[in-house]
Amino acid sequence: MKPKVAFFDFTSCEGCQLNKLNLENDLLDILKHIDLVEFREAMDDKADFYDIAFIEGSISSPSCVERIHDIRRRSKILVALGACAVNGGVNAMKNLHPIDEVRETVYKEDKYLFATLPAMAVSAIVKVDYEVHGCPMTQQDFLKLLIALVLGKEPPKYGSPVCVECKLNENECLYNRGMVCLGPITRGGCDAICPSFGQFCTGCRGLLDDPNLDGMLEVMTSHGISLDEAKKRMLLYNANEVQL
């Protein structure tokens, strides 16, 4: 029997879900091996239970909390999909400001009509079985995890920094080209796609388990940017993880 698979979106741009619909060469093959039972961007059907539930977006309101608990109760395996779901992503930038100030800035006089919480990772509310990192997650990363789950195997995990994959690709270090890059402290698994195309790493795959943040700040500032700018770059995708 094919596993019942569902996709759900919370606070996000929904880019990770769109990335799946762009799996044009693989989409039909994927559907041969799964039973897609719920996916708002692609179908109207609903289901009561899921073998695998993919969650995109951060948790940022009381209704999000209630809904993710409901989905968790009805899911055998729950996967956080993309930076917003894994660690709060760029949404967590709002956590750097008082919540009332955020509501006032966004909603003005209607701020009391919209209940909001600090942007949180899905794992801050419910148990998450697996994570797919990145903003957006790459199609290859998603496929590796989905294939592993369908086959009953353990999906790959990435514990090395982006720098390792950059070296394997024989890229010239972007620091040598006058750029400031977060590759040394960012979790790999993206095949260093940004540095390979001449774009510095912005840290969208989240931090390593034990990053040397002070050392990273020292390197960044020694290459020409201010300490304030270095901290802003580090916080962009990691505001919930970095304490500066």
Side-chain angles (χ1 to χ4, degrees):
M1 182 179 296
K2 297 190 292 187
K4 293 182 178 180
V5 176
F7 294 90
F8 300 94
D9 53 272
F10 284 75
T11 306
S12 67
C13 69
E14 303 188 15
C16 291
Q17 293 182 87
L18 287 174
N19 228 3
K20 292 187 290 296
L21 293 177
N22 288 333
L23 286 164
E24 296 167 346
N25 295 328
D26 302 299
L27 202 52
L28 291 179
D29 285 337
I30 292 173
L31 293 175
K32 289 179 184 176
H33 299 283
I34 67 170
D35 184 8
L36 188 58
V37 295
E38 195 160 337
F39 188 177
R40 185 182 61 81
E41 288 197 359
M43 57 194 291
D44 294 326
D45 294 350
K46 304 282 185 181
D48 293 328
F49 298 97
Y50 325 106
D51 293 303
I52 308 171
F54 288 96
I55 309 296
E56 179 187 2
S58 55
I59 307 301
S60 63
S61 71
S63 63
C64 287
V65 173
E66 182 179 354
R67 185 167 166 243
I68 194 63
H69 275 299
D70 178 57
I71 293 171
R72 176 70 267 192
R73 280 193 292 268
R74 295 190 281 137
S75 305
K76 289 182 181 177
I77 296 173
L78 189 141
V79 181
L81 201 63
C84 293
V86 171
N87 69 0
V90 294
N91 293 331
M93 292 289 287
K94 82 171 188 179
N95 301 347
L96 302 175
H97 307 275
I99 197 71
D100 284 341
E101 178 183 315
V102 173
R103 295 172 72 194
E104 176 76 26
T105 301
V106 175
Y107 301 116
K108 303 296 182 185
E109 65 274 12
D110 293 328
K111 65 179 181 180
Y112 297 109
L113 299 178
F114 300 94
T116 187
L117 299 171
M120 295 176 280
V122 174
S123 61
I125 305 300
V126 297
K127 177 178 179 265
V128 169
D129 299 297
Y130 300 101
E131 296 175 336
V132 180
H133 299 266
C135 180
M137 57 104 207
T138 68
Q139 295 174 349
Q140 294 77 14
D141 216 3
F142 169 74
L143 281 176
K144 287 178 183 176
L145 180 133
L146 179 62
I147 290 170
L149 293 182
V150 169
L151 294 177
K153 297 182 178 180
E154 193 66 18
K157 294 182 179 179
Y158 304 99
S160 300
V162 170
C163 286
V164 170
E165 291 162 8
C166 214
K167 292 284 187 185
L168 291 173
N169 290 342
E170 300 184 353
N171 296 331
E172 179 186 5
C173 181
L174 293 180
Y175 278 95
N176 293 339
R177 296 166 59 182
M179 298 185 195
V180 173
C181 179
L182 288 177
I185 59 169
T186 300
R187 185 183 306 278
C190 57
D191 198 28
I193 186 170
C194 292
S196 295
F197 284 93
Q199 169 62 48
F200 56 82
C201 175
T202 57
C204 79
R205 292 180 61 81
L207 299 174
L208 296 167
D209 290 338
D210 188 24
N212 184 348
L213 300 182
D214 290 337
M216 189 74 255
L217 287 173
E218 185 177 338
V219 169
M220 294 169 80
T221 53
S222 70
H223 281 76
I225 66 172
S226 67
L227 180 60
D228 184 55
E229 176 63 21
K231 290 180 178 179
K232 286 180 179 177
R233 293 195 185 192
M234 201 177 284
L235 288 167
L236 179 61
Y237 286 101
N238 303 295
N240 276 344
E241 297 179 294
V242 174
Q243 302 295 323
L244 297 174

